[in-house]
Amino acid sequence: MTRIALYDLDRTITRRPTYLPFLLHAAWRLDKKRLLFLPVLVIVSIGYVFGLVSRARLKEINQHLLLGHAIPAARLVEIGESFADKTLHENIHAQAFATIAADKAEGRRLVMASASYSFYVVPLARRLGFDDVIATGSMRGEDGEILARIDGENCYSTGKLGLIRAWMEQQQIDPEQDDIRFYSDSESDMPVFEIAHEPVATNPTSKLRKIAEKAGWRVIAWG
């Protein structure tokens, strides 16, 4: 039997979201003039709130505005590494380090599943000692540059569950038989909570806390 500790990232392991901070971190290093598009991001976000733009399309538009349509892969890897260092030192719950270490000591396979882009989630997960990463991927251009287009599913809600199931199938992990402990802060991850043998509501939103308390799940709050 495989024992897995599956973790969400934003507001679960981290104190604050990482997506917009990464875009700002990257834009500052790639082309500071693109920060002038920030008011446009607000307009696009309003479109998302009113259902005019999907979450996945919102991410693509924001990346296009702040980082450009295509970025040399080596340059983005470098920026992803520097952002991972910054996040590790400034934006990780202190208790998360101990919990991750305890799961590792139990012999659990550590898997990070995040809606954030893999080009900065992967280096951060590596620094935290994770074994595997499931995250939102990016399409590549003809010369290998990273495009402002999502490759496949946005790793969010049912999309996250789909990517987790695909990864499990590839790794020959049976979600019915193997032991899955899942940590997340948000009710958007309910599809994944439903396959977990041990759901752990971690720094939960008020809505998730109510769900967790009603279902008798473990609730932990770091801060």
Side-chain angles (χ1 to χ4, degrees), residues 9 11-16 87-88 90-100 128 202-203 221-223:
L9 174 62
R11 289 180 171 155
T12 300
I13 292 174
T14 66
R15 295 194 297 270
R16 301 176 299 277
T87 302
L88 187 69
E90 300 178 2
N91 193 23
I92 304 293
H93 283 289
Q95 298 94 327
F97 292 107
T99 302
I100 292 166
L128 289 168
T202 310
N203 312 314
W222 298 330

Side-chain angles (χ1 to χ4, degrees), residues 53-189:
V53 180
S54 70
R55 179 177 286 265
R57 186 60 183 144
L58 174 68
K59 291 169 74 170
E60 291 175 337
I61 293 170
N62 287 349
Q63 182 178 334
H64 183 97
L65 288 170
L66 289 186
L67 308 188
H69 174 64
I71 311 155
R75 183 72 176 114
L76 197 54
V77 166
E78 177 188 335
I79 291 169
E81 294 282 352
S82 67
F83 182 73
D85 282 335
K86 180 180 176 66
T87 302
L88 187 69
H89 290 101
E90 300 178 2
N91 193 23
I92 304 293
H93 283 289
Q95 298 94 327
F97 292 107
T99 302
I100 292 166
D103 282 333
K104 188 79 168 180
E106 284 184 17
R108 291 185 180 272
R109 185 171 177 176
L110 299 178
V111 184
M112 185 178 289
S114 172
S116 298
Y117 282 112
S118 61
F119 42 72
Y120 72 84
V121 174
V122 168
L124 178 58
R126 185 174 68 246
R127 285 159 171 77
L128 289 168
F130 278 77
D131 302 300
D132 300 275
V133 173
I134 301 164
T136 300
S138 299
M139 294 181 68
R140 299 280 184 135
E142 292 182 359
D143 297 324
E145 68 273 26
I146 295 175
L147 306 180
R149 295 289 304 277
I150 290 174
D151 185 13
E153 290 276 0
N154 181 31
C155 191
Y156 178 80
S157 190
T158 55
K160 179 183 285 190
L161 177 60
L163 289 172
I164 289 171
R165 285 193 179 279
W167 175 83
M168 287 181 173
E169 182 177 353
Q170 183 184 51
Q171 299 295 317
Q172 297 183 323
I173 293 168
D174 184 351
E176 299 296 327
Q177 300 295 327
D178 293 315
D179 181 9
I180 302 168
R181 178 183 291 165
F182 178 50
Y183 301 83
S184 176
D185 71 296
S186 176
E187 65 277 3
S188 67
D189 278 329

